[in-house]
């Protein structure tokens, strides 16, 4: 819920929440190296949510905002796959999103791009193509909460460790995937992710 326009497309009011919305995916949901996602039959509609993903590079707890930039060293494009029908039901019942966000393969990531401190200050553009057509575009400058703000906030509650991955939220344009779709994720003009749906 880190882009106001995405909140709007899901029927939320166009607002800045008082705090970031945070949830955790298990490591068994991680899918990398271009491996395909096999759609789970029992989960219904599966939506793509394209996001910038940063890699935590040092251990940190209660990280001050002014030092947050020191705690990540690489970025890529990832897809937060979501079982949308299940998520709607869970939300209506006031239950956690773990099952609709944490199934096997639900955290797909591309190849890493090493970041300099200067690059962290720039707006990073990214987009997702499905079968050669751009379906979603985003820019880190449009985030409600910046990467540094997310790191500072989350580290108040849990220790961040080397190798942790932080998905930073999706811009508008989410939608369903189908068998045989080919997904390609781009960071600026660099293709960092390519995978198929099976």
């Amino acid at each position: 819920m880190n882009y106001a326009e995405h909140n709007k497309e899901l029927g939320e009011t166009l607002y800045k929440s008082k705090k970031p919305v945070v949830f955790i995916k298990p490591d068994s949901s991680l899918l990398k190296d271009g491996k395909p996602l096999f759609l789970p039959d029992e989960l219904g509609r599966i939506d793509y949510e394209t996001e910038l993903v940063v890699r935590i590079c040092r251990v940190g707890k209660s990280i001050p905002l002014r030092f947050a930039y020191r705690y990540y060293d690489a970025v890529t494009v990832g897809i937060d796959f979501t079982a949308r029908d299940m998520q709607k039901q869970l939300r209506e019942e006031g239950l956690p999103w773990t099952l609709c966000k944490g199934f096997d393969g639900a955290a797909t990531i591309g190849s890493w791009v090493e970041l300099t401190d200067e690059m962290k200050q720039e707006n990073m553009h990214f987009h997702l193509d499905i079968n050669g057509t751009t379906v979603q575009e985003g820019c880190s400058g449009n985030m409600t909460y910046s990467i540094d703000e997310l790191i500072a906030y989350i580290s108040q509650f849990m220790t961040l460790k080397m190798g942790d991955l932080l998905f930073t939220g999706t811009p508008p344009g989410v939608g369903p995937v189908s068998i045989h779709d080919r997904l390609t994720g781009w960071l600026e003009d660099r293709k960092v992710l390519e995978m198929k749906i099976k």
Side-chain angles (χ1 to χ4, degrees), residues 37-76:
L37 172 66
F38 292 88
L39 291 183
D41 294 333
E42 68 277 9
L43 293 183
R45 171 176 162 168
I46 304 295
D47 279 8
Y48 60 83
E49 296 188 11
T50 313
E51 310 190 11
L52 286 177
V53 183
V54 296
R55 183 178 67 196
I56 302 300
C57 62
R58 58 197 299 185
V59 176
K61 172 69 175 171
S62 299
I63 301 166
L65 177 61
R66 67 184 182 278
F67 296 135
Y69 73 96
R70 299 178 179 176
Y71 286 81
Y72 61 103
D73 64 354
V75 65
T76 191

CSV table of all heavy atoms in Angstrom, one decimal, residues 37-76:
chain,number,residue,atom,x,y,z
A,37,LEU,N,6.6,-19.8,-12.5
A,37,LEU,CA,5.6,-19.9,-11.4
A,37,LEU,C,4.6,-20.9,-11.9
A,37,LEU,O,4.0,-20.7,-13.0
A,37,LEU,CB,5.0,-18.5,-11.1
A,37,LEU,CG,3.8,-18.6,-10.2
A,37,LEU,CD1,4.3,-19.0,-8.8
A,37,LEU,CD2,3.1,-17.2,-10.1
A,38,PHE,N,4.4,-21.9,-11.2
A,38,PHE,CA,3.3,-22.9,-11.5
A,38,PHE,C,2.1,-22.4,-10.7
A,38,PHE,O,2.1,-22.4,-9.5
A,38,PHE,CB,3.7,-24.3,-11.1
A,38,PHE,CG,4.8,-24.9,-11.9
A,38,PHE,CD1,6.1,-24.6,-11.6
A,38,PHE,CD2,4.5,-25.6,-13.1
A,38,PHE,CE1,7.1,-25.2,-12.4
A,38,PHE,CE2,5.5,-26.1,-13.9
A,38,PHE,CZ,6.8,-25.9,-13.5
A,39,LEU,N,1.0,-22.0,-11.4
A,39,LEU,CA,-0.2,-21.5,-10.8
A,39,LEU,C,-0.8,-22.5,-9.9
A,39,LEU,O,-1.2,-23.6,-10.4
A,39,LEU,CB,-1.2,-21.0,-11.8
A,39,LEU,CG,-0.8,-19.7,-12.6
A,39,LEU,CD1,-1.9,-19.3,-13.6
A,39,LEU,CD2,-0.4,-18.6,-11.7
A,40,PRO,N,-1.0,-22.2,-8.6
A,40,PRO,CA,-1.7,-23.1,-7.7
A,40,PRO,C,-3.2,-23.2,-8.0
A,40,PRO,O,-3.9,-22.1,-7.9
A,40,PRO,CB,-1.4,-22.6,-6.3
A,40,PRO,CG,-1.1,-21.2,-6.5
A,40,PRO,CD,-0.6,-21.0,-7.9
A,41,ASP,N,-3.7,-24.3,-8.4
A,41,ASP,CA,-5.2,-24.4,-8.8
A,41,ASP,C,-6.1,-24.0,-7.7
A,41,ASP,O,-7.2,-23.4,-8.0
A,41,ASP,CB,-5.5,-25.8,-9.2
A,41,ASP,CG,-4.8,-26.3,-10.5
A,41,ASP,OD1,-4.4,-25.4,-11.3
A,41,ASP,OD2,-4.5,-27.5,-10.6
A,42,GLU,N,-5.8,-24.2,-6.4
A,42,GLU,CA,-6.7,-24.0,-5.3
A,42,GLU,C,-6.8,-22.6,-4.9
A,42,GLU,O,-7.7,-22.3,-4.1
A,42,GLU,CB,-6.3,-24.9,-4.2
A,42,GLU,CG,-5.0,-24.5,-3.5
A,42,GLU,CD,-3.8,-25.0,-4.1
A,42,GLU,OE1,-3.9,-25.6,-5.3
A,42,GLU,OE2,-2.7,-24.9,-3.6
A,43,LEU,N,-6.0,-21.7,-5.4
A,43,LEU,CA,-6.0,-20.3,-4.9
A,43,LEU,C,-6.8,-19.3,-5.8
A,43,LEU,O,-6.8,-18.1,-5.5
A,43,LEU,CB,-4.5,-19.8,-4.8
A,43,LEU,CG,-3.7,-20.5,-3.7
A,43,LEU,CD1,-2.3,-19.9,-3.5
A,43,LEU,CD2,-4.5,-20.5,-2.3
A,44,GLY,N,-7.3,-19.8,-6.9
A,44,GLY,CA,-8.1,-18.8,-7.7
A,44,GLY,C,-7.2,-17.9,-8.5
A,44,GLY,O,-6.1,-18.2,-8.9
A,45,ARG,N,-7.7,-16.7,-8.7
A,45,ARG,CA,-7.0,-15.6,-9.4
A,45,ARG,C,-5.7,-15.2,-8.8
A,45,ARG,O,-5.7,-14.9,-7.6
A,45,ARG,CB,-7.9,-14.4,-9.6
A,45,ARG,CG,-7.2,-13.2,-10.2
A,45,ARG,CD,-8.2,-12.1,-10.4
A,45,ARG,NE,-7.5,-10.8,-10.6
A,45,ARG,CZ,-8.1,-9.7,-11.0
A,45,ARG,NH1,-9.4,-9.7,-11.3
A,45,ARG,NH2,-7.4,-8.6,-11.1
A,46,ILE,N,-4.6,-15.2,-9.5
A,46,ILE,CA,-3.3,-14.8,-9.1
A,46,ILE,C,-2.9,-13.5,-9.8
A,46,ILE,O,-2.9,-13.5,-11.0
A,46,ILE,CB,-2.2,-15.8,-9.3
A,46,ILE,CG1,-2.6,-17.2,-8.6
A,46,ILE,CG2,-0.9,-15.3,-8.8
A,46,ILE,CD1,-2.7,-17.1,-7.1
A,47,ASP,N,-2.7,-12.4,-9.1
A,47,ASP,CA,-2.3,-11.1,-9.6
A,47,ASP,C,-0.8,-10.9,-9.5
A,47,ASP,O,-0.2,-11.3,-8.5
A,47,ASP,CB,-3.1,-10.0,-8.9
A,47,ASP,CG,-4.5,-9.8,-9.4
A,47,ASP,OD1,-5.0,-10.7,-10.2
A,47,ASP,OD2,-5.1,-8.8,-9.0
A,48,TYR,N,-0.3,-10.2,-10.5
A,48,TYR,CA,1.1,-9.6,-10.4
A,48,TYR,C,1.0,-8.3,-9.7
A,48,TYR,O,0.1,-7.5,-9.9
A,48,TYR,CB,1.7,-9.5,-11.8
A,48,TYR,CG,1.0,-8.6,-12.7
A,48,TYR,CD1,1.2,-7.2,-12.6
A,48,TYR,CD2,0.1,-9.1,-13.6
A,48,TYR,CE1,0.5,-6.3,-13.5
A,48,TYR,CE2,-0.7,-8.2,-14.4
A,48,TYR,CZ,-0.4,-6.8,-14.4
A,48,TYR,OH,-1.1,-6.0,-15.2
A,49,GLU,N,2.0,-8.0,-8.9
A,49,GLU,CA,2.3,-6.7,-8.3
A,49,GLU,C,3.8,-6.4,-8.4
A,49,GLU,O,4.5,-6.9,-7.6
A,49,GLU,CB,1.8,-6.6,-6.8
A,49,GLU,CG,0.3,-6.9,-6.7
A,49,GLU,CD,-0.2,-6.6,-5.2
A,49,GLU,OE1,0.6,-6.1,-4.4
A,49,GLU,OE2,-1.3,-7.0,-4.9
A,50,THR,N,4.1,-5.6,-9.4
A,50,THR,CA,5.5,-5.3,-9.6
A,50,THR,C,6.1,-4.3,-8.6
A,50,THR,O,5.5,-3.3,-8.3
A,50,THR,CB,5.7,-4.8,-11.1
A,50,THR,OG1,5.0,-5.6,-12.0
A,50,THR,CG2,7.2,-4.8,-11.5
A,51,GLU,N,7.3,-4.6,-8.1
A,51,GLU,CA,7.8,-3.7,-7.1
A,51,GLU,C,9.4,-3.6,-7.2
A,51,GLU,O,10.0,-4.5,-7.7
A,51,GLU,CB,7.5,-4.3,-5.7
A,51,GLU,CG,6.0,-4.7,-5.5
A,51,GLU,CD,5.6,-5.0,-4.1
A,51,GLU,OE1,6.5,-4.8,-3.2
A,51,GLU,OE2,4.5,-5.5,-3.9
A,52,LEU,N,9.9,-2.5,-6.7
A,52,LEU,CA,11.3,-2.5,-6.4
A,52,LEU,C,11.6,-3.3,-5.2
A,52,LEU,O,10.9,-3.2,-4.2
A,52,LEU,CB,11.8,-1.0,-6.2
A,52,LEU,CG,11.8,-0.1,-7.4
A,52,LEU,CD1,12.2,1.3,-7.0
A,52,LEU,CD2,12.8,-0.6,-8.4
A,53,VAL,N,12.7,-4.0,-5.2
A,53,VAL,CA,13.1,-4.9,-4.1
A,53,VAL,C,14.6,-4.5,-3.7
A,53,VAL,O,15.4,-4.4,-4.6
A,53,VAL,CB,13.1,-6.4,-4.4
A,53,VAL,CG1,13.5,-7.2,-3.2
A,53,VAL,CG2,11.7,-6.8,-5.0
A,54,VAL,N,14.8,-4.2,-2.5
A,54,VAL,CA,16.2,-3.9,-2.0
A,54,VAL,C,16.7,-5.0,-1.1
A,54,VAL,O,16.0,-5.7,-0.4
A,54,VAL,CB,16.3,-2.5,-1.3
A,54,VAL,CG1,15.9,-1.4,-2.3
A,54,VAL,CG2,15.4,-2.5,-0.1
A,55,ARG,N,18.0,-5.2,-1.2
A,55,ARG,CA,18.7,-6.2,-0.4
A,55,ARG,C,19.4,-5.6,0.8
A,55,ARG,O,20.2,-4.7,0.6
A,55,ARG,CB,19.7,-6.9,-1.3
A,55,ARG,CG,20.5,-8.1,-0.6
A,55,ARG,CD,21.4,-8.7,-1.6
A,55,ARG,NE,22.5,-7.8,-2.0
A,55,ARG,CZ,23.3,-8.0,-3.1
A,55,ARG,NH1,23.1,-9.0,-3.9
A,55,ARG,NH2,24.3,-7.2,-3.3
A,56,ILE,N,19.1,-6.0,2.0
A,56,ILE,CA,19.7,-5.6,3.2
A,56,ILE,C,21.1,-6.1,3.3
A,56,ILE,O,21.3,-7.3,3.0
A,56,ILE,CB,18.8,-6.0,4.4
A,56,ILE,CG1,17.4,-5.4,4.3
A,56,ILE,CG2,19.5,-5.5,5.7
A,56,ILE,CD1,17.3,-3.9,4.2
A,57,CYS,N,22.0,-5.3,3.6
A,57,CYS,CA,23.5,-5.7,3.6
A,57,CYS,C,24.2,-5.6,4.9
A,57,CYS,O,25.4,-5.9,5.0
A,57,CYS,CB,24.2,-4.8,2.6
A,57,CYS,SG,24.3,-3.0,3.0
A,58,ARG,N,23.4,-5.3,6.0
A,58,ARG,CA,24.0,-5.3,7.3
A,58,ARG,C,23.0,-5.5,8.4
A,58,ARG,O,21.8,-5.2,8.1
A,58,ARG,CB,24.9,-4.1,7.6
A,58,ARG,CG,24.1,-2.8,7.5
A,58,ARG,CD,25.0,-1.6,7.3
A,58,ARG,NE,25.9,-1.4,8.4
A,58,ARG,CZ,26.8,-0.3,8.6
A,58,ARG,NH1,26.8,0.6,7.6
A,58,ARG,NH2,27.5,-0.2,9.6
A,59,VAL,N,23.3,-5.9,9.5
A,59,VAL,CA,22.4,-6.1,10.6
A,59,VAL,C,22.0,-4.8,11.2
A,59,VAL,O,22.9,-3.9,11.4
A,59,VAL,CB,23.0,-7.0,11.7
A,59,VAL,CG1,22.0,-7.2,12.9
A,59,VAL,CG2,23.3,-8.4,11.1
A,60,GLY,N,20.7,-4.5,11.5
A,60,GLY,CA,20.3,-3.3,12.0
A,60,GLY,C,19.0,-3.4,12.8
A,60,GLY,O,18.1,-4.1,12.5
A,61,LYS,N,19.0,-2.6,13.9
A,61,LYS,CA,17.8,-2.6,14.8
A,61,LYS,C,17.6,-1.1,15.2
A,61,LYS,O,18.6,-0.4,15.5
A,61,LYS,CB,18.0,-3.4,16.0
A,61,LYS,CG,16.9,-3.3,17.1
A,61,LYS,CD,15.6,-3.8,16.7
A,61,LYS,CE,14.6,-3.8,17.9
A,61,LYS,NZ,13.2,-4.1,17.4
A,62,SER,N,16.4,-0.6,15.1
A,62,SER,CA,16.1,0.8,15.4
A,62,SER,C,17.0,1.7,14.7
A,62,SER,O,17.6,2.6,15.3
A,62,SER,CB,16.2,1.0,17.0
A,62,SER,OG,15.2,0.2,17.6
A,63,ILE,N,17.0,1.6,13.4
A,63,ILE,CA,17.9,2.3,12.5
A,63,ILE,C,17.4,3.8,12.4
A,63,ILE,O,16.3,4.0,11.9
A,63,ILE,CB,18.0,1.7,11.1
A,63,ILE,CG1,18.6,0.2,11.3
A,63,ILE,CG2,18.9,2.5,10.2
A,63,ILE,CD1,18.4,-0.6,10.0
A,64,PRO,N,18.2,4.8,12.7
A,64,PRO,CA,17.8,6.2,12.4
A,64,PRO,C,17.6,6.4,10.9
A,64,PRO,O,18.3,5.9,10.1
A,64,PRO,CB,18.9,7.0,13.0
A,64,PRO,CG,19.7,6.1,13.9
A,64,PRO,CD,19.5,4.7,13.3
A,65,LEU,N,16.6,7.2,10.6
A,65,LEU,CA,16.3,7.5,9.2
A,65,LEU,C,17.6,8.0,8.5
A,65,LEU,O,17.8,7.6,7.3
A,65,LEU,CB,15.2,8.5,9.1
A,65,LEU,CG,14.8,9.0,7.7
A,65,LEU,CD1,14.3,7.8,6.9
A,65,LEU,CD2,13.7,10.1,7.8
A,66,ARG,N,18.4,8.9,9.1
A,66,ARG,CA,19.5,9.5,8.4
A,66,ARG,C,20.6,8.4,8.1
A,66,ARG,O,21.5,8.7,7.3
A,66,ARG,CB,20.1,10.6,9.3
A,66,ARG,CG,20.8,10.2,10.6
A,66,ARG,CD,21.2,11.4,11.4
A,66,ARG,NE,21.9,11.0,12.6
A,66,ARG,CZ,21.3,10.7,13.8
A,66,ARG,NH1,19.9,10.7,13.8
A,66,ARG,NH2,22.0,10.4,14.8
A,67,PHE,N,20.6,7.3,8.7
A,67,PHE,CA,21.5,6.2,8.4
A,67,PHE,C,21.0,5.1,7.6
A,67,PHE,O,21.7,4.1,7.3
A,67,PHE,CB,22.1,5.7,9.7
A,67,PHE,CG,22.9,6.7,10.5
A,67,PHE,CD1,22.7,6.8,11.9
A,67,PHE,CD2,23.8,7.6,9.9
A,67,PHE,CE1,23.4,7.7,12.6
A,67,PHE,CE2,24.5,8.5,10.6
A,67,PHE,CZ,24.3,8.6,12.0
A,68,ALA,N,19.7,5.1,7.3
A,68,ALA,CA,19.1,4.0,6.6
A,68,ALA,C,19.7,3.6,5.3
A,68,ALA,O,19.8,2.4,4.9
A,68,ALA,CB,17.6,4.2,6.4
A,69,TYR,N,20.2,4.6,4.6
A,69,TYR,CA,20.8,4.3,3.3
A,69,TYR,C,22.0,3.4,3.3
A,69,TYR,O,22.4,2.8,2.4
A,69,TYR,CB,21.2,5.7,2.6
A,69,TYR,CG,22.4,6.3,3.2
A,69,TYR,CD1,23.7,6.1,2.7
A,69,TYR,CD2,22.3,7.1,4.4
A,69,TYR,CE1,24.8,6.7,3.2
A,69,TYR,CE2,23.5,7.7,4.9
A,69,TYR,CZ,24.7,7.5,4.4
A,69,TYR,OH,25.8,8.1,4.9
A,70,ARG,N,22.6,3.3,4.5
A,70,ARG,CA,23.8,2.4,4.7
A,70,ARG,C,23.4,0.9,4.7
A,70,ARG,O,24.3,0.1,4.7
A,70,ARG,CB,24.5,2.8,6.0
A,70,ARG,CG,25.1,4.2,6.0
A,70,ARG,CD,25.7,4.4,7.4
A,70,ARG,NE,26.3,5.7,7.5
A,70,ARG,CZ,26.9,6.2,8.6
A,70,ARG,NH1,26.9,5.4,9.7
A,70,ARG,NH2,27.4,7.4,8.6
A,71,TYR,N,22.1,0.6,4.9
A,71,TYR,CA,21.7,-0.7,5.2
A,71,TYR,C,21.2,-1.5,4.0
A,71,TYR,O,20.7,-2.6,4.1
A,71,TYR,CB,20.6,-0.7,6.3
A,71,TYR,CG,21.2,-0.4,7.6
A,71,TYR,CD1,21.5,0.9,8.0
A,71,TYR,CD2,21.5,-1.4,8.5
A,71,TYR,CE1,22.1,1.2,9.2
A,71,TYR,CE2,22.1,-1.2,9.7
A,71,TYR,CZ,22.4,0.1,10.1
A,71,TYR,OH,23.0,0.4,11.3
A,72,TYR,N,21.3,-1.0,2.8
A,72,TYR,CA,21.0,-1.8,1.6
A,72,TYR,C,22.0,-1.4,0.5
A,72,TYR,O,22.5,-0.3,0.4
A,72,TYR,CB,19.5,-1.5,1.1
A,72,TYR,CG,19.2,-0.1,0.7
A,72,TYR,CD1,19.1,0.3,-0.6
A,72,TYR,CD2,18.9,0.8,1.7
A,72,TYR,CE1,18.7,1.6,-1.0
A,72,TYR,CE2,18.5,2.1,1.3
A,72,TYR,CZ,18.4,2.5,0.0
A,72,TYR,OH,18.1,3.8,-0.3
A,73,ASP,N,22.3,-2.4,-0.3
A,73,ASP,CA,23.4,-2.3,-1.3
A,73,ASP,C,23.0,-2.7,-2.7
A,73,ASP,O,23.8,-2.5,-3.6
A,73,ASP,CB,24.6,-3.1,-0.8
A,73,ASP,CG,24.3,-4.6,-0.8
A,73,ASP,OD1,23.2,-5.0,-1.0
A,73,ASP,OD2,25.3,-5.3,-0.6
A,74,ALA,N,21.8,-3.2,-2.9
A,74,ALA,CA,21.4,-3.6,-4.3
A,74,ALA,C,19.9,-3.5,-4.5
A,74,ALA,O,19.2,-3.5,-3.5
A,74,ALA,CB,21.9,-5.0,-4.6
A,75,VAL,N,19.5,-3.4,-5.7
A,75,VAL,CA,18.1,-3.3,-6.0
A,75,VAL,C,17.8,-4.2,-7.2
A,75,VAL,O,18.6,-4.5,-8.0
A,75,VAL,CB,17.7,-1.9,-6.3
A,75,VAL,CG1,18.4,-1.4,-7.6
A,75,VAL,CG2,16.2,-1.7,-6.4
A,76,THR,N,16.5,-4.7,-7.3
A,76,THR,CA,16.1,-5.4,-8.5
A,76,THR,C,14.6,-5.2,-8.6
A,76,THR,O,14.0,-4.4,-7.8
A,76,THR,CB,16.4,-6.9,-8.4
A,76,THR,OG1,16.1,-7.5,-9.7
A,76,THR,CG2,15.6,-7.6,-7.3
